[in-house]
C-alpha cells in the first residue's frame, strides 16, 4: 500500500525561495522486491521502475495504485522513456548463442496494453530519441524514423549534444569532456537542455548549445518544472557509495536546496509537474509533492 510518511506539511526555507514539501509518501503498493530507476510520466500520474539489474519494466499507476508489467526482458528497465503520457519506449538486451548482446527497441501502448518491436534485434547501441512530436529509434546498424521528424528533441553521442528543432539537427560541444556526455533532457517548455559532462557535472544550455549555467558535479538531472531540476549528489570510495542525497537546483544556478540528507542513501531521482520520486540504495521508492514560492 501507499503509506504517508508525514501527517502535515513541512516548510523549508533557503534564500529568497521557499520550498514546501506538501507530502512525502512511501510507494509500496503492488511492488515486490527492489524498485530502481524510476521514471515519472510527464503528468506525474504514472511511474516506470525496474529492479537493480534493469531486468523487466513495470509501471505503477499513482491514482489506482496498481502495477502493470510492461516487459520481463533483461535491459528493459534501463533508460525507459515516456513518449507522451500513453506510450513507453524501451530497449531490451539479450545475450545470444554467439555470446553477443542483441538489443531490440520496443514501444508499449498503454491504451491497448501491447508491446511492439520497432526493429529486429541488432548488436551494438540502440536508443530512442523522444521529441515533442514523435519518436525515432537509432541503432548501430539499422534505425527507424527520422530524428528531424521528432519536433524538438535532444540526445548525446560521445562528447556531443545533438539538438533537433524545426526539422534541423545540430551537434554541439558546449564544454570539453573526454569521457562524454550523459542524461540529456529537454525542459518541459522545450527551451532549455540539461545534461551531464563527465568532467564538469550538470550543464544547462539553450537550444543553440550556449551554456546558461554550470550547476555542479551531480548526476541524473531531471526537470521538476521549467525552472528547477532535481539531481543525485553522491560520493563513493572507489568501490561503493559512501553518501547519496537528492538536491533541488534552480536551472540558472542561483539556488540549491537539499531534499534529503547525505546519509539517507537516496538516489536516481525523477521529476515532473511538481512531483519528485527517488529510490534508496536498497530499492525503496519515495514520492514528494513540492511547492516553490518566492
Amino acid at each position: 500500500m501507499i503509506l504517508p510518511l508525514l501527517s502535515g506539511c513541512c516548510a523549508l526555507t533557503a534564500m529568497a525561495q521557499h520550498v514546501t514539501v506538501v507530502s512525502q509518501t512511501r510507494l509500496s503498493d503492488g511492488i515486490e522486491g527492489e524498485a530502481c530507476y524510476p521514471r515519472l510520466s510527464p503528468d506525474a500520474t504514472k511511474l516506470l521502475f525496474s529492479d537493480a539489474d534493469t531486468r523487466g519494466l513495470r509501471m505503477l499507476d499513482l491514482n489506482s495504485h496498481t502495477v502493470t508489467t510492461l516487459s520481463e526482458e533483461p535491459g528493459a528497465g534501463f533508460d525507459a522513456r515516456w513518449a507522451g503520457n500513453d506510450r513507453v519506449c524501451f530497449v531490451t538486451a539479450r545475450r545470444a548463442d554467439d555470446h553477443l548482446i542483441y538489443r531490440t527497441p520496443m514501444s508499449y501502448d498503454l491504451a491497448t496494453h501491447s508491446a511492439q518491436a520497432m526493429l529486429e534485434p541488432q548488436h551494438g547501441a540502440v536508443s530512442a530519441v523522444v521529441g515533442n512530436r514523435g519518436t525515432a529509434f537509432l541503432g548501430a546498424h539499422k534505425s527507424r524514423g527520422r530524428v528531424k521528424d521528432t519536433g524538438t528533441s535532444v540526445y548525446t553521442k560521445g562528447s556531443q549534444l545533438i539538438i533537433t528543432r524545426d526539422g534541423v539537427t545540430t551537434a554541439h560541444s558546449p564544454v570539453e569532456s573526454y569521457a562524454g556526455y550523459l542524461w540529456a533532457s529537454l525542459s518541459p517548455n522545450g527551451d532549455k537542455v540539461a545534461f551531464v559532462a563527465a568532467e564538469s557535472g550538470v550543464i544547462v544550455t539553450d537550444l543553440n548549445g550556449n551554456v546558461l549555467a554550470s550547476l555542479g558535479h551531480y548526476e541524473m538531472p531531471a526537470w521538476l518544472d521549467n525552472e528547477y531540476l532535481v539531481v543525485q549528489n553522491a560520493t563513493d570510495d572507489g568501490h561503493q557509495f559512501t553518501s547519496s542525497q537528492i538536491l533541488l537546483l534552480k536551472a540558472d544556478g542561483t539556488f540549491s536546496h537539499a531534499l534529503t540528507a547525505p546519509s539517507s542513501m537516496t538516489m536516481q531521482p525523477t521529476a515532473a509537474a511538481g512531483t519528485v520520486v527517488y529510490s534508496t540504495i536498497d530499492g525503496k521508492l519515495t514520492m514528494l509533492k513540492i511547492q516553490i514560492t518566492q
Side-chain angles (χ1 to χ4, degrees), residues 8 26 38 43 46 78 92 103 153 159 192 206 222 227 238 242 290:
R26 177 69 51 79
D43 63 359
K46 302 177 186 70
F78 179 76
T92 63
R103 295 176 174 85
S153 64
S159 296
K192 292 187 284 289
D206 61 20
E227 301 300 329
T242 55
I290 292 176

Side-chain angles (χ1 to χ4, degrees), residues 9 25 43 49 58 92 104 108 117 126 145 161-162 168 173 175 178 183 185 192-193 201-202 208 214 237 239 246 285:
C9 295
T25 306
D43 63 359
F49 66 94
R58 291 166 177 78
T92 63
T104 306
Y108 189 96
V126 178
L161 187 66
I162 313 298
V168 177
S173 296
V175 295
Y178 295 103
W183 297 306
S185 62
K192 292 187 284 289
V193 175
V202 179
N208 294 314
S214 180
D237 60 8
H239 301 283
I246 308 301
L285 296 175

